[in-house]
Amino acid sequence: MSGSARRGGLPGASTAWTRFLEVMSGDKTSHIAIPLFSVALSMVAASLLLLALGENPLVAMAAFLRGSGFMVKPSYAGGQSALTDFLSFLGILAPMLLAALSVAAALRAGMFNIGVAGQMLAAGYVATILAGYADMAPALARPLVVLLGLSVGATMGAAVGFLKYRFNIHEVVSTIMFNYITSYVTGFLINTHYSDAITRSSRVCSRAARLTVTGIDVGGLRLTFPIGILIALAAAAIMKFVLDRTTVGFELKAVGLNRDAARYAGISVGRVTVFAMSVSGALAGLAGVTYYLGYYNNIMPKTLASLGFDAIAVALLGNLNPVGSIFSSILVTIFQKGSVYMSSTLGAPQEVASVITSVMLLFSACGACVRFHAARMLEKLAGRGGSDEGGGG
Amino acid sequence: MRQERVENDYIVEMRHITKRFGGVAANDDISIGIRRGEIFAVLGENGAGKSTLMSILFGKYEPDSGDILVRGRPAVLSSSNDAVSLNIGMVHQHFNLVPNYTVAENIILGSEPIKRVFGIFPCVDIKTAEARIAELSRAYGLEVDPSLPIAQAGVSVQQRVEILKMLCRNAEILIFDEPTAVLAPREIEFLLDIIRGLREKGHTIILITHKLEEIMRVADRCAVLRRGRLVGTLAVADTSPQELAELMVGRELPPAGKRPSAGFGDTVLEVQDLTVRDQDGLEVVKGVSFSVRRGEIFAIVGVSGSGQVEIADAIAGLARPQAGRIRLMGLDITDCGIRRRIEAGISYIPEDRQRYGVILDFTLAENLAIKSYYRPPLSKSGVLRPGRIREFADDLIERYDIRGADGAGMITRSMSGGNQQKAIIARELSRDSALIIFVQPTRGLDIGAIRSIHARIIEERDRGRAVLLVSLDLDEVMNLADTVGIVFSGRMVKISPANRLTADEVGEYMMGVRV
Amino acid sequence: MMDAIMTDGLSFAMPLLIMAIGGIYSERAGVVMLAIEGLQGFGAFVGAAAAVISGIYLGTESPLLIFIAMAAAMAGGAAFSSIHALLCVKFRAQQVISGMVVNTLAMALSPFLTSVINRAITGNESNKFQIGPSVRFTVPGLSEIPLVGGLFKSMYPFEIVIIAAALISCYVLYKTRYGLRLRACGENPHSLDAAGGDVNRTRTIAVLICGALSGLGGVFLAYSISATYSPNIYVGYGYLSIAAMIFGNWKIPPTACVCMFFGLARSAGYQLCLYLGMPGSYSDLLLTLPYALTLLLLVFFSKRNNPPRAMGETFDRSRR
């Protein structure tokens, strides 16, 4: 390689290029370099889009950050500040991160959970009915909500895993069916029993059951802190440990990468399938309770949270890695949360945010291709170096 | 005299062909000329570059440098279509057939005859195609039933389909890539007859092989490749197998000595009336019984697809038997899971190493640990111990000479096939299992690797292990086995000490000629 | 009541069928197709936009609009599916992921472009297009048959187009040269490559056909369900058609039966509610019927499924 670099017309540029290719294709570096590269590309694309809409990209980006509480807005309504915006951002970041972890957990075991939204809804519904409408002390209600979210989600996930391994029903099909069934059944029950006459959603759940700590007094501001974000970060940490350092994590990855070889090695593929889907479902259930009992506090009947589908993009952008998911969910949530403020101040359509998110996903999906071509270019450079040496010898 | 006259009658000429893959020269300045109407053999070990050279002629790869002349004119071959339009056809080692299509559909794929229904709608004309195929197969002695689905056809029928495919495209020059690798001795006879018949009808044949015997029997001339270079082109009539072998390997081959077993011990594996069905519910193993003892190499031979792999899979637990019992050292393991069997003492080197043997995206260390990660010392109460896994891997890498730039931490995908196989063998042998199953352990490896694996197999036997060897390579079986079990269409038709059978007799049993 | 079940059932089954047939093209060629949801939505958007824009010149009552919408939807779906084709065939992306990328892109782009177009035309930022109701017609004679006559009453012109497309697809997939090659691509792409066929080209065309058919299904859904185009088009009928395709074992006739079953079960549920005089909210419960039944039936039939063998594999000539 050094040989070809020396022979190149521009030695500096050539080594930088080689170095870049090495980073993009290396076993150890590519999993960080490729997502960063795709994010950078998407930012360029987003800027072009904003320019086409007649907006200054820098101003628009600042507006996204202001809307999410990362930067201070020029003016605030009473009782509001960048801190309240930021806490609200954390409130919606929590279900996003949990849902992304849910998608990642399933995909690491080679399964595609499109049912995150349905699992969220089921968990949110059960927790709302059993804990949100009951008269309970917060110390009892909140753990109960978390527990219900976990168990309802895990049960639904396990059912998907079981149907796959026992009856060969593809998880994409069964999760779609479960999405519809959950949406219609909970919609029916809410409309017939728990509907609020004015909002047409379910009645608001009790304060005691919400996964938030209210009334924190900071410098005269009364703040609401979302407990969900702590749950989500803990879940990411636990998942990282399980995947990297435990035998079940080893089995899960083995099944995800090569089912046949995993079976040959004596790993019970059926058990791992059910386990991975239960974990995925449990994480989706947690996402559901933090979403429906913490951020919105009521349920819109017959509506699946689009967050459950956005999470697929977030998980892929985060390279199916728990730590990567933290960064990608922050990034995506900034655009989604900040879009309202951006739209109201600049007048550009709010949908720009989801366009930017999907463009990020588009570029990250090309990651394998970028890596492949980087490796091939590198090989070509090396090959040329080799043949030069061969010619000299 | 005749040679003088036809000297310039080269139908194909390859001049100074060089082709590199990632800096390694697969073909290094190779020049060969093939005469019209001859059988030209290309001989070399696995990895010598013979397949690459022929793939270049067939348009699959473009050479980095060098020229190709076909019928005296320079040819640019940038796809197999170019080759086909120059009437060059290739019968690949791995058949390229669609399993759920019929023989006729497979043959016409890519050059379908068209008729117009109602004068408007173009339809594939399968009737005409079937008639043409029947006619061609009669003319060349290639018997096939055009309406038979490929999935139901045997290996030799599939090969005939591949040959007919080329003839239907008017191929004048036919390249055969290791055509006898999957055939039984009698089928090899038929094939060699077919090849001679093709020459009679004016076709030019290029035969890629590493089997000297075939060359001696049918070829007119032979080019020998070694490590990407041409070491010589000889007229077969003027050479001997010994000379060819030395040219091919580059050193004198020590006689392949056979070491008989020192004696058999207790029975390790006992298989009784084993019946296995495949996915479609067809019985592929029918009431097979045999046993393997300590210090014994028991080889199962048979034509490809006779049920031998399914027997091995059933013993390892990968296939569920329909009936029968399997006992390992007296313990009935018929209903045990795969992991129980591994722990009870079964090691298994599978046929498809990239599908079963390793997880390509795991590191070498992870692949080496994949059968023992869940137990101390590699893990403790469910938590992996990366340090111990690393030590374990480093130890195996050193003991079994697994080579790769980054050692234990490297991704298995980036290792060579030979080293992947070494890793699998290291993992399986290090388990000290009572029974070791080898399925096609040397397929696709070069002669050095083959020899070292053969030595390992004998070493394990001498250490008192029971070895079950499944191989399509009759030479390998006759070289290693103490006992031979011959399967024919799912039945074990003969079990005998290896030294009481000749290779020819084994071949007859394999074809179901002898019972 | 029977008539209503038949009429409504057919009008729900047909868009599902055409999308599922699109899926069959793609997956039989070996490209996993989860993108139908996005393709139908984007196709519907292009179709509706074309109808609205040409409505300005032709008048909103013009009977031509629906045909313009159909043609535009097919073109739009095909154009959008080229992203999937490009990602899967050329860029070696994982096909499942690529499908979701296309879905996400479609769900983001179509409402965005809708509001941009609306702002340009009307000045307000609505994310809906009013496309007006479709013409409907009744086949004389056939509609008088007892029980199933409802199938031929107040039909949409789309239904004829879709039935024709289904028949043509049977012919294309099983009788023509392209069909033979397409199915070979899904079973063993190396066989086609060795025979001199172009695997990547065959697959690309299959994906584009899938896009066109999905777009047609999408614009039909926009017309039949609400006579408007809005982001509500993404309610998952694309996914439902994938389920129908898998249930139908990647073959057109069984898939058509599954789609009819979905359609009839759904409309029967509605009619049953009306008949029993149940409040509207109860119909939601009956709407779960097709999905629950699908799961139940799959429990019995899924084992026998045989998907195309090479589905999901990027074609790589050197791997063999």
Side-chain angles (χ1 to χ4, degrees), chain A residues 18-33:
Chain A
T18 314
R19 185 85 199 99
F20 173 74
L21 291 178
E22 273 172 5
V23 171
M24 295 305 283
S25 64
D27 283 346
K28 298 204 170 57
T29 46
S30 72
H31 66 281
I32 294 173

Side-chain angles (χ1 to χ4, degrees), chain A residues 112 166-169 173 176-177 180 184 188 192 302 312 316 347 351-352 354-355 358 361-362 365-366 369 372, chain C residues 87 91-93 97 100-101 104-105 108 112 119 235-237 239 243 246 281 284-285 288 291 299 302-303:
Chain A
F112 209 59
R166 182 74 181 72
F167 296 111
N168 192 27
I169 299 179
V173 176
I176 290 164
M177 298 297 144
Y180 281 113
Y184 282 125
F188 164 74
T192 48
K302 288 202 281 178
I312 299 170
L316 293 174
E351 288 87 357
V352 171
S354 44
V355 174
S358 56
L361 180 63
L362 176 68
C366 301
C369 167
F372 172 80
Chain C
L87 284 176
F91 287 172
R92 311 160 153 270
I97 291 174
M100 290 316 287
V101 170
T104 317
L105 259 180
F112 168 70
R119 183 151 63 162
V235 280
Y237 292 146
Y239 292 121
I246 295 176
S281 49
D284 291 343
L285 217 50
T288 60
Y291 311 112
V299 165
S302 231
K303 282 266 181 202

Side-chain angles (χ1 to χ4, degrees), chain A residues 27-28 241 244-248 250-251 253-255 257-258 260-267 379 383 386-387, chain B residues 22 318 338-339 342 348 350 354-356 358-359 361-362 366 370-371 373-374 379 382-384 386 411 427-428:
Chain A
D27 283 346
K28 298 204 170 57
F241 179 77
D244 290 354
R245 290 293 304 276
T246 66
T247 53
V248 280
F250 187 91
E251 289 172 355
K253 287 184 289 184
V255 170
L257 291 170
N258 184 340
D260 292 322
R263 197 167 94 85
Y264 153 85
I267 293 169
E379 208 170 73
S387 72
Chain B
L318 288 164
I338 295 168
R339 178 157 288 170
I342 294 171
Y348 185 18
Q354 302 209 331
R355 183 165 168 204
Y356 293 102
V358 289
I359 293 177
D361 292 308
F362 263 11
E366 284 171 320
I370 201 165
K371 282 192 172 175
Y373 65 91
Y374 59 96
S379 66
V383 179
L384 297 171
I411 300 293
R427 178 183 70 210
E428 297 304 315

Side-chain angles (χ1 to χ4, degrees), chain A residues 30-385:
Chain A
S30 72
H31 66 281
I32 294 173
I34 299 266
L36 284 179
F37 183 67
S38 9
V39 168
L41 272 185
S42 349
M43 288 304 123
V44 174
S47 305
L48 291 176
L49 176 70
L50 288 163
L51 277 175
L53 288 171
E55 305 294 344
N56 179 341
L58 285 177
V59 174
M61 294 293 172
F64 281 118
L65 288 172
R66 289 198 173 102
S68 316
F70 280 83
M71 277 168 69
V72 183
K73 293 175 190 168
S75 67
Y76 284 97
Q80 300 280 309
S81 76
L83 198 56
T84 49
D85 283 342
F86 184 67
L87 288 176
S88 168
F89 168 82
L90 291 183
I92 191 69
L93 175 67
M96 179 66 98
L97 175 54
L98 284 164
L101 293 176
S102 161
V103 174
L107 214 46
R108 285 300 278 270
M111 280 170 295
F112 209 59
N113 185 2
I114 321 193
V116 174
Q119 290 146 12
M120 284 171 66
L121 181 58
Y125 173 79
V126 172
T128 303
I129 302 303
L130 295 184
Y133 295 157
D135 191 17
M136 271 189 273
L140 190 67
R142 282 176 193 154
L144 182 65
V145 164
V146 172
L147 205 68
L148 283 171
L150 270 174
S151 47
V152 171
T155 313
M156 277 186 81
V160 173
F162 179 75
L163 286 173
K164 180 179 176 85
Y165 130 82
R166 182 74 181 72
F167 296 111
N168 192 27
I169 299 179
H170 200 282
E171 72 278 4
V172 168
V173 176
S174 59
T175 48
I176 290 164
M177 298 297 144
F178 278 131
N179 275 352
Y180 281 113
I181 295 171
T182 313
S183 158
Y184 282 125
V185 170
T186 57
F188 164 74
L189 291 169
I190 289 170
N191 281 335
T192 48
H193 291 84
Y194 308 107
S195 180
D196 184 306
I198 300 159
T199 61
R200 297 198 149 268
S201 343
S202 70
R203 297 198 311 270
V204 170
C205 65
S206 74
R207 281 181 190 286
R210 291 180 199 168
L211 298 176
T212 48
V213 182
T214 47
I216 308 166
D217 202 346
V218 176
L221 288 168
R222 287 179 62 80
L223 301 175
T224 303
F225 181 78
I227 303 172
I229 191 65
L230 300 180
I231 298 175
L233 290 173
I238 294 170
M239 191 166 142
K240 172 125 184 82
F241 179 77
V242 168
L243 281 176
D244 290 354
R245 290 293 304 276
T246 66
T247 53
V248 280
F250 187 91
E251 289 172 355
L252 195 140
K253 287 184 289 184
V255 170
L257 291 170
N258 184 340
R259 293 178 93 76
D260 292 322
R263 197 167 94 85
Y264 153 85
I267 293 169
S268 163
V269 174
R271 217 189 59 208
V272 171
T273 301
V274 175
F275 169 78
M277 278 313 297
S278 325
V279 170
S280 174
L283 288 163
L286 284 179
V289 291
T290 54
Y291 185 79
Y292 292 113
L293 294 97
Y295 194 74
Y296 285 111
N297 302 324
N298 63 8
I299 302 172
M300 187 65 117
K302 288 202 281 178
T303 310
L304 291 168
S306 64
L307 181 141
F309 296 96
D310 293 340
I312 299 170
V314 174
L316 293 174
L317 198 58
N319 229 346
L320 307 182
N321 181 307
V323 180
S325 297
I326 295 178
F327 290 108
S328 61
S329 58
I330 289 174
L331 194 64
V332 168
T333 310
I334 285 175
F335 284 109
Q336 301 212 328
K337 176 87 180 149
S339 65
V340 182
Y341 179 75
M342 189 281 306
S343 175
S344 67
T345 50
L346 300 181
Q350 207 176 315
E351 288 87 357
V352 171
S354 44
V355 174
I356 295 174
T357 312
S358 56
V359 169
M360 277 197 277
L361 180 63
L362 176 68
F363 284 123
S364 70
C366 301
C369 167
V370 173
R371 188 178 169 188
F372 172 80
H373 284 288
R376 212 161 64 172
M377 277 187 223
L378 205 57
E379 208 170 73
K380 265 190 193 156
L381 285 177
R384 212 192 302 146

